[in-house]
Amino acid sequence: MRVKPICAAIMLMSAYGAPALAQTVAGTNAEIEARTDTEAATAAQAVPAAEAAAVPAAAVVQVTGLRQSLRSAEDIKRDAPQVVDAINADDIGKFPDRQAGDALQRIAGVQVGRDRGETSTVIIRGLPDVATTLDGNEIFTAAGRRLSYQDLPVQSIAGMEVYKSATANQFEGGIAGAVNIRLRAPFDNKGFTGTGYIEDRVNQTNGSGNTPDKHSPGGGFLVSNRWNTAFGEMGALFDVAVNRDNWAYPVQYVDRPDNVFSVRPDGSATRLGNVGPYAPAAPDDVLGQLPNIGGIYNAGQRERQSVHGAFQWKVNPRLTASAQYLGMGYQGRSGVNYVMSNVTWAPRLTDVVLAPQGSACATPQGAICPILAASAPAARFGNAYDWDPYTASSSWGQNERTATHYLNLGLKYADGPLSVDSQFGYTRSRFVNDTVIVDQQVPGASASVYSYGADGHGGFNAITLPGSGGNALQDPRNYVLRGLVQNWNEQAGSQLQWRTDATWRLGGDGFFTALLGGLRLSSRKASYHGAEGYADFSGERPGAAGALGPAFQARVPGLDRLGGAWYGPSSDFLIDDADAVRALYGAASGRVPDDPGRLFDQRERNATLYLAARWAANPGGIDVKGEIGARVVRLNRELSGMTRIGDAVSNVDLSTYETNYLPSASAVVGWTEDLQSHFSVGKTITRPNFGTLNPALTLVPSTVNLPGSGGAGNPYLAPTRSTNIDATLEYYFQKNGFAQVALFNRDIDGYEQSFTRDEVIGGQVYRVTRPQNSGKGRLRGAEFGIQKFFDFLPGPWANFGAQANATWIDGDNQSRTAFDSDTYTTTPLTGVARKSYNLALLYEGNGITGRLAATRRGDYVEQIAEAPFNQDRVVKGATFVDLSIGYEINDTVSLQFDAINLTRTKFESTLGEYMPRDVRYNPTTYGLSLRFRM
């Protein structure tokens, strides 16, 4: 592994300045007061378990509140052998955050993805391949490899560390980095502790003026105590949290075009078809393409509960036993309500507005300009229900739930130079989804649509029926029923894991100061099964309004840019009265029978051994310490399922194994007492998620004039591998705070990417998306961060502080030109934003704690070469602004006000100028909570 120039530069600059800066770093900090038991416990837990006993308890000035929390996080960062950033419990409590992922977005180099009003993904330095551990043990949700961060409330969290470089004793599995979540434990506190909260949040839906504000209550409490007994010191902790969310998440989409039109100078147009080459129908005509316009109104209720208990027993000064249980539950009922007017298949258009001739018109098939607006008169091409444009709505009633159980038993032994940490863990997680979908149509409707408006997005100008005034979508009598789709799936995952880590501290003044070693064994299972069924009427279609009584039909609040409300089947009716819906269509009651073609089972057995050595030296009076080692991972995998490509169906029954060698080396250079650097180099891997290995093909059938779609995994995916180099320069201010510059480089091989292509299945064309490993890629970048309370200022100004960090990333990748192709082209790395930053203004004083935070994730490529014109789909940069203000009424009770997404920021994607895709409206949330502590 060679050192890259980007990191070599900072090493050389630091080394050049070292003689002038050289000072002996105080090893004991004897002049500083001892930290509290809680701070010492926090710092000890921050390093991997086998190292904890070997890290001396650094002494710091005792402070309280937000300053104390920030200082504890600084200590973790400063003392760790690798590049790490942290956030602690008190700091988390000052944010308007309910779940774990919400708090992580405050850390340098970390961005999050928000979906349906909550944090759904965590991204480190632009990459989503993040391993997650609970106190060093692997944790996941259902059949995935990662934790659903939405499921874990901040109530149970003592702190979180984001590891951006790895050491040999860390769990492998994330080329982007790793997140370790520390759960609260009774020995974190000196004695009895009781905390809790009750709150109410109001969600304001953006993009839909018809949606009323919705209240979302929540609450939780924690009690913890420790006692001296005749059998040793014991401690117990219990906490519980319940959060309910009533949410809405409107989406307006502009789908890809399926046809090309010949546009005349008078603004009329004729459809040419969807198979090139294309030529204008008349000499003065211009080629144009018009995408389909529609929207989705997502809304529902979700509830998340957690129960956490912990027990610690200090049997004697050398031996401590512990037990920990965490249960997480989720239940959700939601409606996914579509509306569409598919104009791309209309034979004729009028009032056509074309984009200006230029780069927006350039396609691989010649100059084809985006159509910015057009009217599509109703045209019948078959029976009474075969009309273009196809104007319809569709309602999905989704009922889903997750249950995750995690149990950990541990023993820690420390005697003289030897410390041993042994833990046994068991995880079981299950996810269930039942969905009933009913489509309905407005036959004979004409549409006036725009794909690009004043703010860069599309919408409806008018949807009309002959002899019917106003918006035809807002009269329930205009709809007839079309098809019924019902599907369900169950996913389950379980794991037994055991690990033992040992550290032997060497005496004397030798170069090596400690030896580390460990063994980890795990057995992991993942399974998936489900089915899908379709039913439809033959002959005359019934009217939707009177099909199953007045409760069947519901008014959907809709989207403002699509003319407001429309009508569709009630999602509650589809969930609660599913058998009545099935009977209407002549389908059998209950679920569709299990589909053998969707069965998927996988088992992984993992054996890991690591060896490492810690070292220290003092060349030229500069303290240098570090770690070097290697992790060897042997994985055996058994996978069974069924794959389908086109009409070819085959069984998949694989038994494979792989051995990965993951060396790593790190160094911490103390240039002065306040200035230091971290250097590290190592290899990491990310294994494919179980869902992306599942070969089963899931299909969504086509409508009258919209192709079907589908998706499947790839059982032959290989792990993504990366060689990582990191270098930092960190300055720690005397009283509190730090400033740092970090450079990093990732050489990546086999990054996972999705490919969409048309496949003919049963005589029908489907757009099928499958994942595949790409070629070699590279990601490099820099981080800057600073954190400081302004205690050097006079008077009340000393109560203010600030946090700021910015990340710049540059990356590219060798992408296959087509699925299964051996030809590559250089493209951007998907999901990687070039620029991002976090800014926060802090205040703590006079019983008030406040924070105004802005988080920005810059532009990034969401999909490479989207069909039909091979254009990259780009997500625009977005800045979220959140506010949190707390006031301590007395020593035990405080009041807190939170505001999330004050700027009403939305998700926006585009294929380029004049060619938008999605606009997704994130809600704005206001919350008021009462918190107590004893």
Side-chain angles (χ1 to χ4, degrees), residues 129 692 712-714 717-718 720 750-756 769-777 812-820 823-832 861-865 872:
D129 305 299
T692 58
N714 182 354
L717 285 173
T720 302
Y751 192 67
E752 188 179 304
Q753 290 184 325
S754 295
F755 295 82
T756 300
T769 301
R770 303 175 189 270
Q772 193 165 0
N773 293 109
S774 57
K776 296 184 180 298
D812 52 51
N813 191 52
Q814 292 179 331
S815 297
R816 299 177 190 267
T817 55
F819 191 80
D820 278 338
T823 304
Y824 295 87
T825 183
T826 300
T827 65
L829 278 165
T830 57
V832 176
V861 175
E862 187 178 33
Q863 181 172 326
I864 300 292
D872 293 347

Side-chain angles (χ1 to χ4, degrees), residues 305-443:
Q305 316 92 10
S306 74
V307 177
H308 170 227
F311 175 77
Q312 288 179 294
W313 176 20
K314 192 171 185 179
V315 182
N316 56 52
R318 297 177 299 278
L319 182 64
T320 300
S322 63
Q324 192 137 217
Y325 168 78
L326 174 66
M328 296 174 285
Y330 157 73
Q331 298 86 38
R333 290 169 58 98
S334 62
V336 181
N337 301 282
Y338 281 83
V339 68
M340 65 195 76
S341 188
N342 294 336
V343 293
T344 191
W345 280 88
R348 299 176 307 279
L349 300 175
T350 61
D351 307 317
V352 174
V353 178
L354 280 170
Q357 292 283 336
S359 59
C361 302
T363 78
Q365 286 138 4
I368 305 176
C369 291
I371 295 176
L372 306 185
S375 295
R380 182 173 170 179
F381 61 89
N383 63 37
Y385 310 105
D386 293 339
W387 289 84
D388 279 314
Y390 179 68
T391 302
S393 68
S394 175
S395 295
W396 303 26
Q398 291 189 318
N399 191 16
E400 55 188 21
R401 59 191 182 277
T402 302
T404 301
H405 304 273
Y406 168 79
L407 176 66
N408 178 262
L409 304 174
L411 285 174
K412 293 184 179 180
Y413 176 84
D415 187 16
L418 176 65
S419 60
V420 179
D421 181 3
S422 185
Q423 296 194 41
F424 171 83
Y426 174 70
T427 306
R428 186 178 78 241
S429 185
R430 183 170 177 261
F431 170 79
V432 179
N433 175 283
D434 284 279
T435 299
V436 177
I437 306 170
V438 171
D439 297 339
Q440 55 184 30
Q441 178 192 4
V442 181

Side-chain angles (χ1 to χ4, degrees), residues 682-807:
K683 288 188 174 182
T684 60
I685 62 168
T686 292
R687 299 188 186 96
N689 203 350
F690 292 107
T692 58
L693 290 168
N694 182 358
L697 177 62
T698 300
L699 297 176
V700 177
S702 60
T703 60
V704 173
N705 58 4
L706 190 66
S709 61
N714 182 354
Y716 302 100
L717 285 173
T720 302
R721 307 175 190 277
S722 176
T723 299
N724 301 346
I725 299 176
D726 295 86
T728 73
L729 189 61
E730 308 157 16
Y731 179 79
Y732 293 86
F733 300 107
Q734 285 293 325
K735 291 185 177 181
N736 68 76
F738 68 90
Q740 76 159 8
V741 176
L743 303 178
F744 54 91
N745 188 90
R746 305 283 186 264
D747 281 341
I748 303 170
D749 189 9
Y751 192 67
E752 188 179 304
Q753 290 184 325
S754 295
F755 295 82
T756 300
R757 62 176 180 176
D758 290 343
E759 296 183 14
V760 179
I761 301 172
Q764 299 292 323
V765 176
Y766 291 84
R767 302 172 184 168
V768 179
T769 301
R770 303 175 189 270
Q772 193 165 0
N773 293 109
S774 57
K776 296 184 180 298
R778 185 182 182 189
L779 183 144
R780 52 201 173 273
E783 288 176 359
F784 168 78
I786 187 168
Q787 175 176 292
K788 184 76 175 75
F789 262 93
F790 305 148
D791 40 26
F792 53 87
L793 294 176
W797 296 106
N799 295 328
F800 285 93
Q803 294 173 308
N805 59 75
T807 306

Side-chain angles (χ1 to χ4, degrees), residues 602-638:
Q602 181 169 319
R603 182 169 185 176
E604 289 184 350
R605 295 180 176 88
N606 190 311
T608 304
L609 174 69
Y610 76 85
L611 295 172
R614 212 173 282 141
W615 55 270
N618 190 257
I622 301 173
D623 281 348
V624 184
K625 59 184 179 181
E627 190 175 303
I628 185 169
R631 189 175 184 90
V632 182
V633 185
R634 170 76 175 201
L635 178 73
N636 293 341
R637 176 183 296 146
E638 297 172 1

Side-chain angles (χ1 to χ4, degrees), residues 634-647:
R634 170 76 175 201
L635 178 73
N636 293 341
R637 176 183 296 146
E638 297 172 1
L639 183 154
S640 62
M642 185 174 292
T643 185
R644 179 174 186 171
I645 299 178
D647 286 329

Side-chain angles (χ1 to χ4, degrees), residues 180-396:
N180 182 58
I181 301 172
R182 290 181 285 111
L183 297 176
R184 294 180 183 268
F187 283 2
D188 291 349
N189 306 298
K190 289 184 176 181
F192 175 80
T193 297
T195 63
Y197 72 96
I198 55 172
E199 72 170 346
D200 184 40
R201 291 187 169 189
V202 177
N203 291 331
Q204 293 186 346
T205 302
N206 297 316
S208 176
N210 293 322
T211 302
D213 295 345
K214 299 181 179 182
H215 289 262
S216 299
F221 67 89
L222 176 148
V223 290
S224 175
N225 206 354
R226 54 197 294 182
W227 311 268
N228 287 312
T229 73
F231 303 100
E233 186 177 12
M234 298 182 183
L237 176 148
F238 176 79
D239 73 76
V240 62
V242 179
N243 294 312
R244 183 171 296 168
D245 197 11
N246 294 295
W247 59 276
Y249 187 65
V251 175
Q252 189 273 313
Y253 68 81
V254 177
D255 199 6
R256 78 185 205 189
D258 283 314
N259 281 281
V260 172
F261 290 83
S262 184
V263 184
R264 290 181 284 276
D266 63 359
S268 61
T270 302
R271 187 184 72 215
L272 297 178
N274 60 357
V275 178
Y278 303 105
D284 293 334
D285 284 8
V286 175
L287 295 180
Q289 49 94 354
L290 177 62
N292 291 314
I293 314 297
I296 314 169
Y297 184 88
N298 304 278
Q301 307 85 39
R302 55 188 171 226
E303 183 175 293
R304 287 188 164 88
Q305 316 92 10
S306 74
V307 177
H308 170 227
F311 175 77
Q312 288 179 294
W313 176 20
K314 192 171 185 179
V315 182
N316 56 52
R318 297 177 299 278
L319 182 64
T320 300
S322 63
Q324 192 137 217
Y325 168 78
L326 174 66
M328 296 174 285
Y330 157 73
Q331 298 86 38
R333 290 169 58 98
S334 62
V336 181
N337 301 282
Y338 281 83
V339 68
M340 65 195 76
S341 188
N342 294 336
V343 293
T344 191
W345 280 88
R348 299 176 307 279
L349 300 175
T350 61
D351 307 317
V352 174
V353 178
L354 280 170
Q357 292 283 336
S359 59
C361 302
T363 78
Q365 286 138 4
I368 305 176
C369 291
I371 295 176
L372 306 185
S375 295
R380 182 173 170 179
F381 61 89
N383 63 37
Y385 310 105
D386 293 339
W387 289 84
D388 279 314
Y390 179 68
T391 302
S393 68
S394 175
S395 295
W396 303 26

